[in-house]
Structure formats: structure tokens, C-alpha cells
Amino acid sequence: MTAPPDLKLLDGFERALINERLHYAYQPKISLATGKLKRVEALVRWHDPEMGAVPPSRFIPLAEGHGLIDQLTRYGLDRCFTQWKEWRAKGIECELAFNISAMNLNALDFPDIVEAKCEEHGVPAECLVLELTEGSTQSLVNLMDTLTRFRIKGIGLAIDDFGTGYSTMKLVRQLPFTEVKIDRFFISDATRSMDSRVIVEAMIGLAHGLGLSATCEGVETREQIQLLRAMECDVAQGYGVSKPLLAEDLPGWIEQWEAGWDEMIAP
Ligand code: C2E
Ligand code: MG
Ligand code: MG
Ligand code: MG
């Protein structure tokens, strides 16, 4: 008898996690003021020998539902911090953005675990930004407590996929975020539709008004880069900057990207 698909997926994922066969792709985020690399976002990748590439949208919920998310997050931090050190040794200076699950925040010692990992690997807390998507089951008071503890340690906090959830306005006002990541849904037609453009500009203004940095994700074209620069958006990320890269391809990408920046922003 063959196992039902979800169990097969869960079993495969658990084995990949235990055997350290999950890896990370890194997507560059650039400063729109200078064109320089600011940060990379680590995105987990699982390639199963039988099933092929399984997207995080399929296995992250599974990990969350089966008590494996804390283990995945700890594993990912170790992998990505090790990678960050390798880049640093080659003279590449960039911050690291790492996605966490709202469920990770249920563990009261999570901020201490992250801080200990930073210390263990020699990654300054200021070089780490945690990205959190709305959807926590925690009360606002608990969230406030946990997120504040990250901020006290100097770790940055981004609200991911901003604008798509129910209570993002409330969250961004009350919680100690440092960055707003405007969901790619809004940027996708901002160069064509006046309405979308107004919304993107308003969200950038909202972020700045609250003292937060504004990032646009899903930036795919040169026109969008130019538009976002005109709107004084701080950071851009998307296929138009770079697809998520293998770690070893980052140095070559930086060289190529920086050489093309003047042309990218030329009228
Ligand atoms: P996210 O954090 O919003 O990540 C951005 C997603 O958009 C990534 O998909 C990325 O590959 C994709 N993307 C980036 N630029 C573009 C673009 O220009 N156009 C389009 N169409 N897509 C773009 P991915 O890697 O499939 O990740 C999906 C989600 O899974 C992430 O959304 C994040 O919420 C979650 N995720 C990824 N890695 C991790 C992880 O290590 N831990 C946790 N807890 N969640 C993760
Ligand atoms: Mg993210
Ligand atoms: Mg996002
Ligand atoms: Mg998104």
C-alpha cells in the first residue's frame, strides 16, 4: 500500500531535515539610493530525489503542523550563518535576512536561541534581520514581548508580505518592526496602473512616517526600479535585481550588477 501523499511528503521532509539535505538560496536586496548590495534573503530549498524540487509553500506548513519548525529554523540559522562567514572571509559585506515562522515565537527562549547562534558564529546581531509574515496565533501582548526582546539585542525585524493580511496596519503600528516589505502583488502592475502606483507610494510613505525602512519585493523590471527610486523606496528585491542564487554565485553577481547600475538608472 502506498502512503497518502501528505505522509510521504512529511516523511521525506523529515528525512531531508535530519540528514541535512535542505539547502538555501540567497536573493540579493539592493539599496535603491546606491545600487549596492545591502542584504541577502535566505530561502530554504528542498530537492527530493524522487519528488524533485518541493516549494517552501508546501513543506513549511507541514513543518509547522508537525512540530518540526523549530528544528528547521535552528538548522537554517546554522547553515546561513556559516555561509555568511564564508562570504565575509572573501570580503563580501552584507546583512542576512532570514524568514521565521510565527510559530517560532511560541518558544519563549527563541530570542535567546537566536542571540546564542549569532555569538557562536560571530555574526553581529546588527547584521541579522528576521522576516515575519502576519498570521501569528499569539496575542499582541506576547508578540510585543518577544519582538521587543529581539530589538533589544539589536536584531532587525521586517514585516513580510505587507498589505496582504487582515491587521497589518495594527501590527505595524504597535509592534517594534524596523522594516516593511511591501508584497509583490502591489508592485507587479505599478508601472501600468495608476491605482497600484498610488498604493505603493502610500505604503512607502507609511513606512517612512513610522520611522521604518521600506522594501519592495517582486521587483522584476528596470521601469519598476526607476519608479521605486523616484518614490524614495529604500530597498528593492526581485527577479529584476536577481533571482535567488546559489551561495557561490553571489560574488560574481555583485561584480556584474554593480557594473551595470549606472545604465540601469539612466533615463
Ligand atoms: P517570502 O519571504 O515573501 O519570499 C519571497 C518569495 O518570492 C520567494 O519564494 C522568492 O523566490 C519569490 N520571489 C522573489 N522575487 C520574485 C519576483 O520578482 N517575482 C516572483 N514572482 N517571485 C519572486 P519562495 O522561495 O518559494 O518562498 C516562499 C515563501 O516561503 C517565502 O516568502 C517565505 O514566507 C517562506 N520561506 C522561504 N524560506 C523559508 C525559511 O527558511 N523559513 C520559513 N519559515 N519560511 C520560509
Ligand atoms: Mg521573506
Ligand atoms: Mg515576502
Ligand atoms: Mg511574498
Side-chain angles (χ1 to χ4, degrees), residues 72-149:
L72 171 64
T73 299
R74 286 195 302 265
Y75 166 78
L77 286 170
D78 281 328
R79 284 290 289 251
C80 297
F81 285 173
T82 302
Q83 184 55 58
W84 184 90
K85 279 183 296 185
E86 277 179 34
W87 285 324
R88 175 54 63 99
K90 290 186 178 140
I92 294 173
E93 305 245 345
C94 69
E95 299 168 358
L96 180 73
F98 189 86
N99 292 284
I100 59 167
S101 157
M103 269 199 160
N104 288 135
L105 302 173
N106 292 333
L108 289 177
D109 58 350
F110 184 50
D112 293 331
I113 290 174
V114 176
E115 182 181 44
K117 289 217 177 286
C118 283
E119 279 166 9
E120 182 190 330
H121 291 278
V123 175
E126 291 71 25
C127 287
L128 178 66
V129 178
L130 299 176
E131 296 194 0
L132 179 62
T133 309
E134 181 193 347
S136 172
T137 51
Q138 285 200 329
S139 73
L140 208 55
V141 177
N142 283 345
L143 265 180
M144 179 63 136
D145 180 67
T146 314
L147 296 186
T148 301
R149 285 194 284 136

Side-chain angles (χ1 to χ4, degrees), residues 41 133 160-162 164 181-185 217-218:
E41 177 175 1
T133 309
D160 209 341
D161 303 337
F162 185 72
T164 57
K181 288 191 75 180
I182 299 165
D183 193 77
R184 71 164 180 265
F185 169 82
E217 60 173 28

Side-chain angles (χ1 to χ4, degrees), residues 21-226:
R21 278 190 284 104
L22 300 171
H23 71 272
Y24 285 78
Y26 299 89
Q27 189 174 33
K29 306 168 73 160
I30 54 136
S31 154
L32 282 164
T34 64
K36 294 227 180 310
L37 176 68
K38 165 132 185 86
R39 191 180 292 154
V40 295
E41 177 175 1
L43 296 159
V44 65
R45 295 290 177 257
W46 171 28
H47 194 276
D48 181 80
E50 252 180 75
M51 293 178 280
V54 186
S57 56
R58 282 194 73 197
F59 63 82
I60 298 283
L62 211 61
E64 289 175 333
H66 291 84
L68 294 168
I69 195 70
D70 287 333
Q71 193 182 339
L72 171 64
T73 299
R74 286 195 302 265
Y75 166 78
L77 286 170
D78 281 328
R79 284 290 289 251
C80 297
F81 285 173
T82 302
Q83 184 55 58
W84 184 90
K85 279 183 296 185
E86 277 179 34
W87 285 324
R88 175 54 63 99
K90 290 186 178 140
I92 294 173
E93 305 245 345
C94 69
E95 299 168 358
L96 180 73
F98 189 86
N99 292 284
I100 59 167
S101 157
M103 269 199 160
N104 288 135
L105 302 173
N106 292 333
L108 289 177
D109 58 350
F110 184 50
D112 293 331
I113 290 174
V114 176
E115 182 181 44
K117 289 217 177 286
C118 283
E119 279 166 9
E120 182 190 330
H121 291 278
V123 175
E126 291 71 25
C127 287
L128 178 66
V129 178
L130 299 176
E131 296 194 0
L132 179 62
T133 309
E134 181 193 347
S136 172
T137 51
Q138 285 200 329
S139 73
L140 208 55
V141 177
N142 283 345
L143 265 180
M144 179 63 136
D145 180 67
T146 314
L147 296 186
T148 301
R149 285 194 284 136
F150 278 118
R151 286 301 301 132
I152 289 169
K153 298 176 193 301
I155 294 167
L157 296 170
I159 182 160
D160 209 341
D161 303 337
F162 185 72
T164 57
Y166 284 110
S167 53
T168 39
M169 290 295 169
K170 187 168 145 196
L171 293 181
V172 83
R173 186 174 74 83
Q174 298 193 347
L175 296 173
F177 287 104
T178 53
E179 177 188 349
V180 164
K181 288 191 75 180
I182 299 165
D183 193 77
R184 71 164 180 265
F185 169 82
F186 298 101
I187 192 63
S188 58
D189 63 352
T191 38
R192 286 188 303 270
S193 138
M194 190 59 188
D195 290 353
S196 301
R197 201 175 320 165
V198 166
I199 291 175
V200 170
E201 192 158 25
M203 289 199 283
I204 294 167
L206 174 78
H208 289 166
L210 293 170
L212 310 179
S213 147
T215 293
C216 262
E217 60 173 28
V219 177
E220 295 187 347
T221 67
R222 178 167 174 253
E223 282 119 292
Q224 289 170 347
I225 289 178
Q226 297 200 342

